[in-house]
């Protein structure tokens, strides 16, 4: 089953999605390694869900080392990258 969190970030539904999840996928733009509202919420909640970071890149080529910047701030151990 796939749960999709909604807005606002602190909604009851978003918190339910995180609490019920076996795996939470955080999707971010590969060129902007700043923590978003949802990621900050996820990191502040107690959950045993596996956390995976999916980075989207606008170009087919990715500059080496850009994932490192995300990993410094996200604290999410598993990362996937994809170009659009």
């Amino acid at each position: 089953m796939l749960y999709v969190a909604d807005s606002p970030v602190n909604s009851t539904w978003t918190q339910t999605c995180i609490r019920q999840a076996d795996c939470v996928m955080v999707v971010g733009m590969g060129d902007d390694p700043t923590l978003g509202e949802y990621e900050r919420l996820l990191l502040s909640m107690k959950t045993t869900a596996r956390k995976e970071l999916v980075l989207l890149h606008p170009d087919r080529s990715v500059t080496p080392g850009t994932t490192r910047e995300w990993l410094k701030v996200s604290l999410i151990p598993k990362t996937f990258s994809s170009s659009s």
Side-chain angles (χ1 to χ4, degrees):
M1 180 169 295
L2 177 66
Y3 293 112
V4 178
D6 61 4
S7 295
V9 70
N10 61 353
S11 73
T12 303
W13 175 246
T14 296
Q15 293 177 21
T16 299
C17 290
I18 293 171
R19 277 195 308 273
Q20 296 295 321
D22 294 320
C23 176
V24 176
M25 296 180 77
V26 175
V27 180
M29 293 306 297
D31 59 352
D32 182 13
T34 56
L35 291 178
E37 290 180 293
Y38 290 96
E39 191 171 13
R40 283 192 297 273
L41 174 67
L42 175 62
L43 294 173
S44 72
M45 290 183 67
K46 292 184 180 183
T47 178
T48 59
R50 185 176 75 236
K51 298 163 194 76
E52 297 182 355
L53 177 62
V54 178
L55 298 177
L56 304 176
H57 301 278
D59 300 321
R60 292 222 176 258
S61 63
V62 178
T63 306
T66 56
T67 302
R68 185 178 312 119
E69 295 305 313
W70 264 98
L71 294 175
K72 283 181 187 176
V73 298
S74 74
L75 305 175
I76 296 176
K78 194 164 188 177
T79 306
F80 301 94
S81 290
S82 175
S83 58
S84 53

